[in-house]
Amino acid sequence: MGELAVGPIDYLALEFPTAELNGDGLAILVDLVDRGVIRVLDFRFAVAHEGGAFTAVALSDLDGDGDLDLAVFEGVESGLLDDDDLGQAVALVEPGQGVALLVYENTWAGPFVAAMNRVGADVIASGRIPAVDVVAALDALEGDA
């Protein structure tokens, strides 16, 4: 397979009931990027309308106040997400709500994968355990203790 220093690629779909973002979570996202923990490959936001229609919103001015909110992510598009993906995410929320789709690389894992490749190992599968399942399993363990 050769040396490929790319970490696992994940996505998140986030529901915003008021179709507005604030800076709290976004500041943490920027920090994760700045520290090299993740690399944002795609980041798109849309507001849902009746009948499955939606309006994609520019990341540069998410709250419509004229100030650049996420200029750092403006134009971040890997081609992994398209309007069909955004439409599927919009279908998960009610009209008037917002949805964000974030595709990111877990860059922390890239050097590990490359090192394993150098000794002849290949990543043959990866997956994600839903957080609710992890919390339930940990709660069950605490109940047994």
Side-chain angles (χ1 to χ4, degrees):
M1 179 170 155
E3 186 168 318
L4 183 63
V6 175
I9 308 298
D10 289 321
Y11 74 92
L12 293 174
L14 304 163
E15 175 185 14
F16 293 86
T18 62
E20 294 178 5
L21 299 174
N22 69 38
D24 296 342
L26 299 175
I28 292 173
L29 179 63
V30 170
D31 179 60
L32 290 169
V33 170
D34 287 347
R35 290 187 295 126
V37 176
I38 66 168
R39 178 171 59 126
V40 174
L41 301 174
D42 277 295
F43 192 23
R44 300 193 58 194
F45 187 82
V47 176
H49 303 296
E50 294 290 336
F54 63 90
T55 302
V57 178
L59 292 174
S60 59
D61 188 18
L62 290 170
D63 56 12
D65 66 359
D67 292 328
L68 293 179
D69 300 313
L70 286 176
V72 68
F73 295 122
E74 188 173 13
V76 173
E77 292 185 25
S78 68
L80 294 172
L81 286 180
D82 60 22
D83 284 345
D84 288 340
D85 298 314
L86 203 52
Q88 288 177 26
V90 164
L92 300 173
V93 302
E94 297 295 321
Q97 295 182 333
V99 65
L101 281 179
L102 174 67
V103 176
Y104 59 96
E105 174 194 358
N106 292 282
T107 51
W108 62 266
F112 172 71
V113 170
M116 292 296 95
N117 288 163
R118 286 192 296 274
V119 297
D122 287 323
V123 175
I124 58 172
S126 67
R128 177 78 30 168
I129 300 170
V132 294
D133 293 349
V134 173
V135 170
L138 293 174
D139 286 346
L141 285 175
E142 286 179 12
D144 292 339

